[in-house]
Structures are given as C-alpha cells and as structure tokens.
C-alpha cells in the first residue's frame, strides 16, 4: 500500500478498517501531485517501524499572538484528543517562541496533568519605551534562541498522549494596556529544524490563513504505540500482567504477528520489533525476515581471516 512516493506499512493503512489497527488510519490526498499521505490535517513524510515515529509537516500551525490578545491557548494538531489517539509528541521536538515580554507553557490536562515544556522571551526597550526586536536579534545568536527576542525549549515525555494546552501570556501585564508589544509567534518543530534568521525572514512576508499565522511548513515528530492488544481471532483481547511489563520485551499475542518478533512495553501501550537477527515488519505474519544466513557467512569469513592471521604469525603460511 502506498500514497505518492511513500509506502504505508501496517499497522498504518488507507481505506477500510481491516487495513489498519484502530487509530492508525491515514488518507491519501490525490488533489496534489504527487499525492500526499495525510494524518488528519498533517502531511506524513516518513513512518519508522523501528523507531516508532511518524514525521509530519504541520501547515498553518504557527500561531500569531499580538497585543490585542491578553492570553490564548494555541494548541491544535487536528488528530483528536490526547488520550484517544496512539500518538504523542516526541522528545525530539522543540517549543519555539518568538517575541518580546512573552512566555509560553505547553502542558497536558489528562489524568496525569503535567507541564511538558515552557520558556520566556525578553527584549530591551528603546528610548520611546517600546520593545526593540532588532536589538534583541543583534544580541543573540543568529541560529538559536536563548531568551532574547525568542526562546526554544526541549519537550518532555508525555504520559497522556498529545498535549492539550499551549498557553501564551505577556510577562508584564502593564505593557498590554499601552499596546507597545510587537507580534509574537509560537510553534512546535522537530529538533534541529529551527533557524532564527531564516524563520524571522519568512514571518513578515507570509500569507495568513484564518488569522492563525503564516503558512510555514514546520516538521514535527510524533511517537506512536499500540494502545491495546488486538484479538488473535475471535478471542477476547489478550492481557499482559503488570510483572510482565517490567521486562524489556514480552510476548504479545495479536499484535506481533511474525513468529520472529517481540513486544516492547511503551508508555501507554506496546510496540513490536523483530527479534535479533531478523528485520522487517513485526506486525505482519512472516514479516520479520531472517538475517542469519548473511550473519553466519560474515562470521565464517571473519573466523577464516583470524585463522589465516594466526598461521601467518606462526610462519606456517605465506600471505
């Protein structure tokens, strides 16, 4: 199964429910050339079975924040609430905030309420008592943000799936009344993508959609996991005991369908990996293909080389 130039590995799928595990439905947008693989409103550009990640392009998710607004919640991924979907923000993302006298907090309001990230951005004021973004940019690194004019922060692991809140507020509420603050922007991007000079150059010239922000194509990495064990046939869902979850790998009937696979406990569910010496798709019957033939050949060659080296050192043969 494929869409455009991307293959779609199970447990993901397109079409009827039998083609994917619940929560892993994707769509193929054929209105573009080449067609785009979509997860809700997010464009999928890579799926990794080995890393349990999916890389998406987040369009129209750069939120604008100006001094007409006291504070706002700017989070929206378009794939459903956190606890109901098998996705969570990877720790290989960053929270990016650009602006002056502003702070952002990314959090989750599930059963394990937690703050996942946060940072604050400041700017010096000029003689007219207005915030000077140009001065802040000249004081800071051209590539990264350390709190002057913009800031960036790592994102912690979430125990409840996708974050549900991204609150942005002014640090000094008195500045709100005089309306001297420049525009601020907040978004979440894959670690290493953000370049302050490049993004700053894009923001003023970008078009706006629904007042949300510029149309930057921001990459984001999502972790995924199977939230429950799937039935093997007509049987009830298989259960894994708590003591079993403490081991690194366990047997999970109904998920890891290849006989040469193991099940790994994740934060909220499980994932499948091929056993050592095998590679492929552990979610399919016979999906893990053996590498033992190649491994054995390499080991035999290495052993022969060592034997020849020993014989040479003993002056028993000439090489």
């Amino acid at each position: 199964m494929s869409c455009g130039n991307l293959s779609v590995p199970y447990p993901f799928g397109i079409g009827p429910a039998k083609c994917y595990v619940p929560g892993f439905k994707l769509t193929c947008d054929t209105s573009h050339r080449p067609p785009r693989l979509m997860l809700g409103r997010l464009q999928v550009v890579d799926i990794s079975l080995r890393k349990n990640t999916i890389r998406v392009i987040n369009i129209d998710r750069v939120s604008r924040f100006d001094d007409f607004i006291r504070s706002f919640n700017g989070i929206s991924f378009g794939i459903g609430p956190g606890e109901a979907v098998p996705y969570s923000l990877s720790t290989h993302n960053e929270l990016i905030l650009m602006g002056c006298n502003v702070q952002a907090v990314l959090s989750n309001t599930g059963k394990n309420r937690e703050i996942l990230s946060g940072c604050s951005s400041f700017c010096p004021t000029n003689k007219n008592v207005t915030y000077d973004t140009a001065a802040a940019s000249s004081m800071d690194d051209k590539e990264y943000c350390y709190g002057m004019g913009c800031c960036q922060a790592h994102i912690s692991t979430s125990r409840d799936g996708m974050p549900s809140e991204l609150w942005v507020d002014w640090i000094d509420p008195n500045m709100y009344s005089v309306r001297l603050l420049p525009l601020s922007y907040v978004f979440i991007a894959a670690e290493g993508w953000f370049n302050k000079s490049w993004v700053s150059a894009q923001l003023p010239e970008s078009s706006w959609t629904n007042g949300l922000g510029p149309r930057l194509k921001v990459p984001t990495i999502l972790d995924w996991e199977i939230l429950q064990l799937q039935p093997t046939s007509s049987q009830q869902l298989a259960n894994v005991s708590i003591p079993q979850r403490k081991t690194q790998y366990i047997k999970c009937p109904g998920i890891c369908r290849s006989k040469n696979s193991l099940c790994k406990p994740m934060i909220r569910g499980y994932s499948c990996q091929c056993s050592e010496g095998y590679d492929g798709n552990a979610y399919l019957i016979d999906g893990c293909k053996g590498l033992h033939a190649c491994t054995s050949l390499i080991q035999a060659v290495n052993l022969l080389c060592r034997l020849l080296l020993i014989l040479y050192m003993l002056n028993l043969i000439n090489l």
Side-chain angles (χ1 to χ4, degrees):
M1 186 180 300
S2 63
C3 176
N5 55 2
L6 282 179
S7 61
V8 183
Y10 194 81
F12 296 88
I14 302 171
K18 64 181 181 180
C19 297
Y20 53 84
V21 169
F24 290 86
K25 180 180 180 179
L26 302 178
T27 58
C28 189
D29 185 355
T30 57
S31 65
H32 297 272
R33 291 291 180 268
R36 294 179 179 178
L37 186 62
M38 305 296 294
L39 170 63
R41 298 195 300 266
L42 305 175
Q43 180 184 353
V44 179
V45 294
D46 181 69
I47 299 174
S48 174
L49 296 179
R50 186 172 297 176
K51 298 179 181 179
N52 283 96
T53 60
I54 178 170
R55 189 179 182 92
V56 298
I57 298 295
N58 215 351
I59 303 175
D60 297 337
R61 291 296 97 196
V62 177
S63 297
R64 181 183 68 169
F65 184 54
D66 58 28
D67 54 8
F68 286 97
I69 305 172
R70 188 60 177 251
S71 66
F72 85 122
N73 181 5
I75 195 72
S76 177
F77 289 92
I79 57 174
E83 292 185 54
V85 298
Y87 305 101
S88 58
L89 269 182
S90 170
T91 56
H92 295 291
N93 293 301
E94 296 176 308
L95 173 65
I96 308 294
L97 175 64
M98 306 182 72
C100 298
N101 192 45
V102 66
Q103 59 188 353
V105 177
L106 179 69
S107 62
N108 206 325
T109 56
K111 59 184 178 181
N112 301 304
R113 185 178 179 88
E114 54 195 348
I115 293 178
L116 303 178
S117 186
C119 68
S120 302
S121 178
F122 302 86
C123 297
T125 56
N126 58 26
K127 61 182 179 180
N128 296 321
V129 198
T130 58
Y131 284 88
D132 194 341
T133 55
S137 297
S138 64
M139 294 172 62
D140 214 345
D141 189 279
K142 296 299 181 183
E143 184 175 355
Y144 303 104
C145 287
Y146 301 106
M148 294 299 294
C150 63
C151 63
Q152 58 193 111
H154 291 293
I155 293 176
S156 301
T157 300
S158 171
R159 292 173 291 171
D160 286 323
M162 297 297 293
S164 53
E165 292 186 346
L166 174 55
W167 285 102
V168 184
D169 296 278
W170 303 116
I171 295 173
D172 183 359
N174 294 324
M175 295 306 299
Y176 166 77
S177 59
V178 296
R179 294 180 51 219
L180 299 174
L181 295 164
L183 289 175
S184 296
Y185 306 92
V186 61
F187 53 94
I188 295 169
E191 194 175 49
W193 173 84
F194 178 73
N195 180 288
K196 184 174 69 175
S197 297
W198 182 83
V199 172
S200 298
Q202 306 302 312
L203 293 178
E205 301 174 358
S206 299
S207 59
W208 299 87
T209 302
N210 299 327
L212 290 173
R215 295 177 59 85
L216 285 179
K217 294 183 177 181
V218 182
T220 308
I221 300 174
L222 305 180
D223 292 329
W224 56 269
E225 55 193 306
I226 307 293
L227 296 185
Q228 62 182 3
L229 299 182
Q230 304 302 307
T232 55
S233 57
S234 59
Q235 302 173 1
Q236 297 295 318
L237 292 177
N239 292 319
V240 176
S241 65
I242 296 300
Q244 283 180 300
R245 286 182 60 97
K246 294 181 180 179
T247 60
Q248 184 179 7
Y249 288 100
I250 58 179
K251 290 291 184 180
C252 291
I255 294 183
C256 308
R257 298 183 177 180
S258 176
K259 62 180 180 180
N260 299 306
S261 63
L262 292 171
C263 182
K264 182 178 181 179
M266 305 290 282
I267 296 174
R268 297 183 295 149
Y270 309 88
S271 71
C272 295
Q273 301 291 329
C274 291
S275 303
E276 184 178 356
Y278 294 85
D279 191 27
N281 190 335
Y283 299 93
L284 299 177
I285 297 175
D286 297 326
C288 294
K289 304 299 182 182
L291 301 176
H292 287 308
C294 292
T295 302
S296 300
L297 179 60
I298 293 173
Q299 291 176 344
V301 171
N302 288 336
L303 181 61
L304 178 60
C305 290
R306 291 176 186 174
L307 179 60
L308 291 175
L309 180 60
I310 292 173
L311 293 175
Y312 173 76
M313 294 176 65
L314 294 175
N315 294 321
L316 296 178
I317 62 171
N318 293 321
L319 296 179

